[in-house]
Amino acid sequence: MQGKILIVTGAGGALGQVVAETALVRGARVAGIDHASSQTAASADHIDIAGVDLSDPAQAKTAVDAAAKHFGRLDALINIAGGFAFETVGDGDIATWQRMHALNVLTALNASRAALPHLAKSTAGRIVNIGAMGALQAGNGMGPYAASKAGVHRLTEALANEWKGKVTVNAVLPSIIDTAANRADMPKADFSKWVTPQELAEVILFLASDAASGITGALIPVGGRV
């Protein structure tokens, strides 16, 4: 990661914060973009662009362009911004489906579209998206979320083919992430079977690195211990 310029969307969240901080420790310069402020400490190598609704293409472009201008270029976009809802299909609200689509698909789409012209100028342009293992086979109450993350999977594959030879585009598919919020929601679960934010960060940053130049269009499950 030494010398790389990264954008991390959703940098104010549990996973985004770990990815940003790990990248910084390894010598990258990072722009965190989020609706909320990032918890990563400000420094010469880190800027925080807050108050951004990435489901709005104009706001996404303004934020991405500002990050690229600040650092002079862009090497990788890590799309972590998103959301989760548990709701059955029959008893749920159509607004939940629309919200999941906006938070998970449109944020990744708009940030990617804004970043691609910058990434194409890099010698190692990378996009890493966050899908979900739960989108491979949706369970009870997972319809809206799984459908939106399946959209992220298809977006990843389409972009990988469209930009082959110029920018690599991959996605990691976490199982349940070991966060304070998830522990509070599922207090009786076996947390040892969950994937940690640091474990995910390792895979994400590998895909954003020079070493992953030969990988594009991959959907990589991470976690799911038995």
Side-chain angles (χ1 to χ4, degrees), residues 36-47:
S37 296
S38 168
Q39 299 303 306
T40 302
S43 70
D45 294 325
H46 172 253
I47 62 168

Side-chain angles (χ1 to χ4, degrees), residues 49-144:
I49 304 175
V52 182
D53 178 1
L54 288 168
S55 68
D56 179 338
Q59 291 189 45
K61 185 177 188 306
T62 297
V64 169
D65 287 350
K69 182 178 180 180
H70 179 85
F71 287 122
R73 69 174 200 279
L74 178 62
D75 297 311
L77 168 68
I78 301 173
N79 282 313
I80 298 176
F84 175 78
F86 184 89
E87 190 172 279
T88 60
V89 176
D91 297 328
D93 189 334
I94 192 65
T96 302
W97 290 76
Q98 295 167 331
R99 182 164 59 90
M100 288 295 96
H101 180 76
L103 289 175
N104 293 320
V105 182
L106 294 185
T107 57
L109 171 64
N110 292 334
S112 295
R113 283 168 57 93
L116 280 164
H118 301 288
L119 295 171
K121 298 175 185 177
S122 171
T123 57
R126 307 278 187 264
I127 294 177
V128 184
N129 294 323
I130 306 299
M133 286 178 66
L136 299 178
Q137 184 173 9
N140 177 51
M142 296 291 285

Side-chain angles (χ1 to χ4, degrees), residues 153-168:
H153 299 176
R154 303 292 82 81
L155 171 64
T156 299
E157 293 166 338
L159 285 176
N161 278 289
E162 291 173 14
W163 289 80
K164 188 171 290 184
K166 298 177 182 178
V167 177
T168 69

